Amino acid sequence: MTVSSTQPPAGRARAPQPVIDRAAGMLRAAGEPERLRILELLLGGEHQVSDIAELTNAEMSTTSQRLRILLQENLVARRRNGREIFYRLADAHVETLVRNVLDHADPTAANC
């Protein structure tokens, strides 16, 4: 069955262009495999930058750059404790997005 309607799902108005543009930026940021790996890691809770670098086998500078992009797109949030910076998923919407995309991509997931 193909759907050729240009209408949004029932009960939802078409998103204005700025919302579409913002959503596209978020998906681009999350769509890079190593940034998605960071988001997956943060499903388990808040982590320091150094821990994220170690757990993803990446250099600190590379990890910081990836986190900066995720932060710019409001996918992660950060807090500072002295010299340490901790990152977490920005909110429950991001958690749901990451879980859903990983479940959808996994052919062994029970919900597919």
Side-chain angles (χ1 to χ4, degrees):
M1 176 175 139
T2 57
V3 177
S4 60
S5 173
T6 59
Q7 297 301 313
R12 177 156 169 77
R14 288 188 64 184
Q17 193 61 44
V19 172
I20 294 294
D21 293 342
R22 182 165 180 229
M26 294 170 89
L27 292 172
R28 272 192 303 275
E32 192 275 324
E34 294 307 317
R35 290 192 297 260
L36 183 56
R37 176 66 67 199
I38 290 170
L39 294 173
E40 179 195 35
L41 175 64
L42 295 176
L43 284 171
E46 186 177 76
H47 287 279
Q48 286 181 282
V49 177
S50 58
D51 293 338
I52 295 169
E54 183 179 333
L55 292 167
T56 59
N57 296 315
E59 296 292 327
M60 281 286 291
S61 61
T62 302
T63 301
S64 292
Q65 182 180 22
R66 290 173 178 150
L67 286 163
R68 181 184 51 79
I69 291 167
L70 295 171
L71 185 65
Q72 285 176 335
E73 294 299 337
N74 298 311
L75 294 170
V76 299
R78 70 178 174 195
R79 72 174 178 90
R80 182 179 292 274
N81 184 10
R83 294 194 62 187
E84 299 171 337
I85 300 175
F86 294 84
Y87 284 85
R88 66 186 181 282
L89 295 179
D91 56 38
H93 291 112
V94 176
E95 180 178 344
T96 299
L97 175 69
V98 173
R99 286 188 192 283
N100 284 342
V101 75
L102 292 174
D103 285 349
H104 191 72
D106 185 353
T108 65
N111 296 344
C112 288

